[in-house]
Amino acid sequence: MNKPNNKILVINTGGTITMAAKASGELQAGKGEVLIELIKNLTTDLCSTIEVKPLTGADGAVIGTSDSSEIGPKHWDAMASMIISHNDDYDGFVVLHGTDTMSYTASALSFCLAQNTKPVVVTGAQVPLSKPGSDGLQNLRLALYVADQSGKSLPALSEVMICFAGQLLRGNRSRKSSTRSAVGFSTPNAQILGELFPVPTIFKEQLRALPNAYPPLNNSSLGYSDKVLSMNLNPGFTGELLLKIIKGSDIEGLVLRVFGSGTAPDDFNLAQVVEQAKNETNDRFKCAVIVTDVYNGSLDIHRYAAGKNLRSPFIIDGRDMTPEAASTKLMWVLGSDDRKQQLVKLLGSAVCHEMSAK
């Protein structure tokens, strides 16, 4: 057996993978007792020492495990803070997470960890480890394999990734695609990074080169605004109603899923709404980001005349970003005064391969 020479930190945020059934039969977040025992056994398969820690805040207080519906900005800050503060102590990181908001978390982490040079692998399960037929064991085993950089069997990975059902996906390109299938995630607008089963294969041409134009890996990259509204444009929804919603709240930014390749009805003039909202809120409201409401595809707001009301300096073309990436990116940009000063630049260009070039 190889002597462990690298260290992996597993951050347990909860989710289905660690859940146990209540007396009523409902699943609830557990502390991961089964997980700890499994990881002890998995250590012998790897060249790394594995440590499991609960999610903790910057003050050291344990946040504990949660259903993924509870995960939000404070949890993303806590996860990123743990990875940043322990970056010199570990060679790779695995985040255990529920599937419902996993793509949001993987996207959020990718922005604040854009300068990270170590693998961050997010994984979970559709069926708890405590139940027969769980997909959690394979997902966990493969996530640890990816995070283990000591064996040199894989190329160096500096991504925030999702490992699920034998596939390795770029986190900020991922979407949950099924509530039932073991293949629960996909990247509709990007190639996957690798196939891990039955023979591990990484598609090197898909891996990112580490950027150098953004803040270094430290706590200055943390912070997310919770004042972002993400919604669909529905037939019959008016600009007047949207303006009332913005003015009657403390919303700073909007992510709007528009029709197809970028169209909206004549009576929904988003450009006018956004500019009026900025003026009438004394610039508290900053901008809107638009993405397509179609699962696979990209915006082209100049293709149809019906896209004319979506064109404004204060409306950012999200191109082929997922709604999850667009929402968390806007939350991240609005999460610090320094980033707000670069709002148009950061939102209009890729920070870490979350959207394709124009």
Side-chain angles (χ1 to χ4, degrees):
M1 182 179 71
N2 291 329
K3 183 179 178 181
N5 53 13
N6 272 17
K7 294 174 68 177
I8 301 171
L9 175 60
V10 176
I11 301 173
N12 182 15
T13 75
T16 298
I17 193 168
T18 64
M19 283 186 174
K22 299 194 295 184
S24 65
E26 295 177 316
L27 293 173
Q28 64 178 0
K31 295 181 180 179
E33 294 86 350
V34 175
L35 167 73
I36 302 297
E37 194 59 37
L38 281 172
I39 283 181
K40 287 181 182 177
N41 296 328
L42 290 174
T43 303
T44 59
D45 295 342
L46 299 167
C47 299
S48 294
T49 299
I50 306 167
E51 296 183 18
V52 182
K53 293 181 183 292
L55 181 63
T56 57
D59 58 358
V62 175
I63 296 174
T65 57
S66 306
D67 185 278
S68 68
S69 63
E70 301 286 350
I71 301 292
K74 76 169 185 179
H75 302 84
W76 301 334
D77 266 339
M79 293 176 216
S81 181
M82 288 184 71
I83 292 168
I84 291 170
S85 62
H86 291 297
N87 210 259
D88 292 336
D89 304 322
Y90 296 92
D91 302 281
F93 301 86
V94 171
V95 177
L96 298 181
H97 199 287
T99 59
D100 285 349
T101 59
M102 185 181 289
S103 289
Y104 284 94
T105 292
S107 297
L109 291 179
S110 74
F111 301 121
C112 67
L113 297 176
Q115 290 294 106
N116 182 43
T117 61
K118 296 179 179 179
V120 177
V121 191
V122 188
T123 194
Q126 300 280 48
V127 179
L129 282 168
S130 59
K131 284 186 169 288
S134 173
D135 56 330
L137 180 58
Q138 183 192 45
N139 289 343
L140 175 60
R141 183 189 295 273
L142 291 176
L144 291 168
Y145 173 72
V146 172
D148 176 20
Q149 293 286 283
S150 62
K152 308 300 182 186
S153 56
L154 297 178
L157 299 165
S158 60
E159 304 263 356
V160 177
M161 300 159 280
I162 285 180
C163 179
F164 217 88
Q167 293 187 328
L168 193 62
L169 314 175
R170 175 164 288 130
N172 59 32
R173 288 292 204 155
S174 68
R175 301 204 71 187
K176 185 172 181 179
S177 53
S178 176
T179 61
R180 297 281 183 180
S181 171
V183 186
F185 290 84
S186 62
T187 52
N189 292 322
Q191 296 296 315
I192 65 173
L193 299 180
E195 294 176 346
L196 303 172
F197 185 84
V199 178
T201 304
I202 300 297
F203 306 127
K204 294 181 181 180
E205 68 278 6
Q206 299 300 328
L207 300 181
R208 71 170 187 145
L210 189 65
N212 55 18
Y214 296 96
L217 188 63
N218 58 48
N219 286 341
S220 68
S221 65
L222 300 180
Y224 301 89
S225 170
D226 59 1
K227 297 177 173 59
V228 169
L229 173 64
S230 179
M231 60 182 292
N232 269 57
L233 172 61
N234 297 318
F237 187 69
T238 65
E240 181 183 4
L241 179 55
L242 177 59
L243 183 60
K244 286 182 179 179
I245 292 171
I246 295 172
K247 289 171 59 180
S249 66
D250 57 356
I251 293 169
E252 296 181 348
L254 170 71
V255 174
L256 186 66
R257 295 181 286 281
V258 298
F259 301 138
S261 59
T263 61
D266 283 342
D267 61 357
F268 184 84
N269 192 328
L270 183 62
Q272 185 178 72
V273 168
V274 168
E275 291 175 30
Q276 193 172 342
K278 285 178 67 67
N279 291 333
E280 296 185 16
T281 63
N282 294 317
D283 206 38
R284 181 254 301 156
F285 181 79
K286 300 297 183 185
C287 69
V289 178
I290 55 173
V291 294
T292 179
D293 65 350
V294 180
Y295 182 74
N296 175 230
S298 179
L299 290 183
D300 182 358
I301 59 174
H302 295 281
R303 183 178 182 185
Y304 294 102
K308 65 182 182 298
N309 290 337
L310 302 176
R311 303 166 195 163
S312 163
F314 308 112
I315 299 175
I316 308 299
D317 181 351
R319 307 207 284 272
D320 61 352
M321 269 197 296
T322 66
E324 296 88 344
S327 298
T328 54
K329 184 178 183 181
L330 182 55
M331 294 168 79
W332 176 70
V333 171
L334 295 175
S336 86
D337 290 337
D338 287 344
R339 293 194 292 271
K340 283 182 183 179
Q341 298 301 315
Q342 305 175 69
L343 184 144
V344 173
K345 174 185 175 183
L346 289 173
L347 291 175
S349 58
V351 173
C352 44
H353 293 257
E354 70 278 6
M355 61 182 177
S356 301
K358 288 184 178 180

